Amino acid sequence: MTIDLYVYLIVCPLVFLSGFVDAIAGGGGLISLPAYFISGLPAHFALGTNKLSAMMGTMLTTFRYYKLGYINLKRALSGIICAIVGSSLGAQLALLVPDREFKIALLFVLPLTALYLVRKRNFGEAKGPQASELKISIVCAAVALIIGIYDGIYGPGTGTFLLLGFCAFANLNVKEANGLTKAINLTTNISAFTVFILNDCIILSLGLVAGIFSILGNYCGAKYFEKRGAIGTRKFLIAVISIFMVKLIYDLFIKA
């Protein structure tokens, strides 16, 4: 497939922005995937090529957060397994849950999530006595399973919901939560990428160039996250949720 220059000019800057936001708060796909659609790519090529560029950026951030000590390998392993199991269950449930009804439910969930973030000024700053490692691992696994089910049913914003869940329910600080989120995201990205490339649904030239921009965006976002931590993350989470709300409203009431 021949790719015109204008496609690169549309996709690459938005993929950079996506990588920057994703490294901080997750939800980068809410920016990058529409970029591929806007450029005029067929849906299956847009999905596959987006996975390639996202995977490249997430690899960098995951490695960086691991080197900085943000990723607990035991929690990551249990979280990855539960996320994969949950995603498989969710894919089966997607056949039973009407897409429109699920989106309408999210219209109520997202404002409540944003309200939680607005009111919780100390979000991402672990408070109180730390639970045992076993209890933390169990809670993290449960969060990964539940959000994995969501990922299988619908998907957008999965990284954001993982980050929120790990902070809210496992009482992890935002750096530990984001590190764990990235480890899980990388695994699911690799799995999806494998499916797409085996079915020849990836435009390698575009995906690799966009992947470089994703790496640059993730690098800048990771540097920002290292410096700002929870203070910088909360406003990006609210921004991602706002973008998600706009997308849902468009899908439900305009596109339909």
Side-chain angles (χ1 to χ4, degrees):
M1 182 182 293
T2 302
I3 303 299
D4 294 325
L5 177 61
Y6 78 88
V7 174
Y8 290 89
L9 295 177
I10 292 171
V11 168
C12 291
L14 289 172
V15 167
F16 172 87
L17 177 61
S18 165
F20 181 85
V21 171
D22 200 66
I24 300 167
L30 294 168
I31 300 171
S32 62
L33 188 55
Y36 284 100
F37 285 126
I38 291 168
S39 72
L41 293 186
H44 52 293
F45 281 105
L47 290 165
T49 309
N50 179 62
K51 281 299 176 187
L52 172 56
S53 60
M55 181 184 69
M56 291 171 64
T58 305
M59 277 183 177
L60 179 136
T61 303
T62 304
F63 178 74
R64 187 171 187 86
Y65 288 173
Y66 173 72
K67 294 290 286 184
L68 289 168
Y70 298 169
I71 300 176
N72 179 302
L73 291 179
K74 289 183 179 179
R75 296 175 196 166
L77 180 59
S78 60
I80 287 166
I81 293 170
C82 288
I84 291 172
V85 171
S87 182
S88 300
L89 291 172
Q92 296 177 49
L93 287 173
L95 301 173
L96 306 174
V97 181
D99 182 65
R100 183 176 177 83
E101 291 184 14
F102 193 76
K103 289 178 180 177
I104 289 172
L106 284 172
L107 284 179
F108 293 93
V109 172
L110 291 175
L112 292 173
T113 305
L115 181 62
Y116 165 79
L117 286 167
V118 169
R119 296 183 57 132
K120 194 169 180 61
R121 298 289 180 179
N122 62 347
F123 171 79
E125 300 173 10
K127 298 290 184 180
Q130 192 77 351
S132 68
E133 182 57 38
L134 177 60
K135 184 176 180 180
I136 293 172
S137 295
I138 291 172
V139 173
C140 287
V143 169
L145 178 66
I146 292 167
I147 304 302
I149 291 172
Y150 163 79
D151 190 27
I153 294 174
Y154 188 49
T158 295
T160 301
F161 288 134
L162 282 171
L163 175 56
L164 285 164
F166 293 143
C167 287
F169 300 110
N171 196 32
L172 299 185
N173 67 54
V174 75
K175 291 184 176 180
E176 292 175 317
N178 211 353
L180 182 53
T181 295
K182 288 297 170 288
I184 293 172
N185 274 348
L186 178 59
T187 305
T188 55
N189 278 343
I190 291 172
S191 299
F193 168 76
T194 302
V195 172
F196 282 116
I197 200 165
L198 288 175
N199 287 277
D200 198 25
C201 292
I202 294 176
I203 303 171
L204 286 175
S205 58
L206 177 59
L208 291 172
V209 172
I212 293 171
F213 281 82
S214 179
I215 288 171
L216 291 172
N218 271 270
Y219 176 80
C220 294
K223 293 290 286 185
Y224 177 92
F225 180 75
E226 290 167 37
K227 292 179 181 178
R228 301 286 291 172
I231 297 173
T233 302
R234 192 163 65 97
K235 61 184 180 183
F236 276 97
L237 285 168
I238 294 170
V240 168
I241 290 169
S242 300
I243 294 170
F244 198 177
M245 279 290 295
V246 171
K247 180 185 184 302
L248 279 175
I249 291 170
Y250 174 80
D251 288 346
L252 284 167
F253 306 112
I254 299 175
K255 184 179 177 181

